[in-house]
Each structure stands twice: as structure tokens, then as C-alpha cells.
Amino acid sequence: VQLVESGGESVHPGGSLRLSCTARKSTFNDHAIGWFRQAPGKEREAVSCISTGRGVGAGRTFYADSVKGRFTISISDNEDTVYLHMDSLKSEDTALYTCAAEEFYICSGYIMKSTPQIFTSWGPGTQVTVSS
């Protein structure tokens, strides 16, 4: 599936943003969709994921400890867009945010942190900058 992210921009600390990850010419039915981020000079970090569909694991979510309570992941009713709503943004949230998707996988902290290579579809990313 082809992915395209949007919604990244520059905001002040404490602000909010909503990122979108859209599946072009497809939907996210029975997928695990993850958000990752990478800041300059740092390794890629798993941020959040969600499982879609109606089978076992559908609706399951994962959040990194660094964003838990501030970020919320959700999916559109027609399952073609995944959103990452980010509140109380901090300077350390500054990064290139990229979404990834893989069919027939269930979202979990394990696949996000230990086996992200299972994701074969990746978007180009959208830049989030948090500064005063």
C-alpha cells in the first residue's frame, strides 16, 4: 500500500497537531499501522501503532512511554486514514514522523520496537518542529 503523511508543521511548546497517514488507492483493512519518528542525529523511535479490521487484535494500540497520555492514534471510518493527534507538544517531539503499514499483523510494542522490519510500506514522512 502507498502511504502519504501530512499535518506536520512548526508549533510552540504546549501546542497540538494532528498528523494523517493516508493509504493511496487502498484501505487499511486488516493492517497494523505504525508511526515512527527520527530526530537529527538520533535513532528512529517507535511512537504508536493501531490494528485495523474486525478479527483478533482489531483496535489494539501501542504508545511509547514518551508520548503516552499526550498522543492518541485513531483511524477514519472508511479505514483509509490513520491519525496521530498530538497534544502538549515538547521540544523533544521535534522529528520527522513517518507512518508504516503491514497487512495481517497486529499492533504491539514488540513489532514496533523489536521487529519494525515487518513493515514493508513506508511513507516519506512529515516534519514536526516544536520550538518557542
Side-chain angles (χ1 to χ4, degrees):
V1 59
Q2 286 184 305
L3 307 177
V4 60
E5 304 93 337
S6 62
E9 59 182 78
S10 295
V11 295
H12 294 304
S16 297
L17 282 176
R18 189 181 75 168
L19 305 183
S20 299
C21 172
T22 300
R24 300 182 65 180
K25 302 179 182 179
S26 182
T27 68
F28 287 128
N29 187 40
D30 288 329
H31 281 71
I33 303 97
W35 282 99
F36 296 83
R37 67 185 182 186
Q38 188 166 19
K42 295 188 176 181
E43 292 187 356
R44 185 178 63 196
E45 177 187 11
V47 177
S48 180
C49 67
I50 189 168
S51 297
T52 67
R54 291 168 178 79
V56 174
R60 186 176 297 177
T61 59
F62 157 81
Y63 296 96
D65 288 343
S66 58
V67 306
K68 202 170 293 183
R70 299 188 297 122
F71 291 11
T72 303
I73 193 168
S74 63
I75 188 163
S76 63
D77 289 342
N78 62 355
E79 293 191 328
D80 70 347
T81 301
V82 168
Y83 303 104
L84 185 67
H85 191 93
M86 308 185 295
D87 290 322
S88 303
L89 283 163
K90 307 174 182 178
S91 58
E92 50 263 45
D93 295 317
T94 295
L96 181 70
Y97 284 71
T98 305
C99 67
E102 188 60 33
E103 195 172 17
F104 303 134
Y105 272 85
I106 296 173
C107 161
S108 71
Y110 178 78
I111 67 168
M112 289 294 290
K113 294 187 288 185
S114 301
T115 59
Q117 64 271 21
I118 65 97
F119 291 103
T120 57
S121 297
W122 293 80
T126 185
Q127 179 67 37
V128 172
T129 302
V130 185
S131 69
S132 54

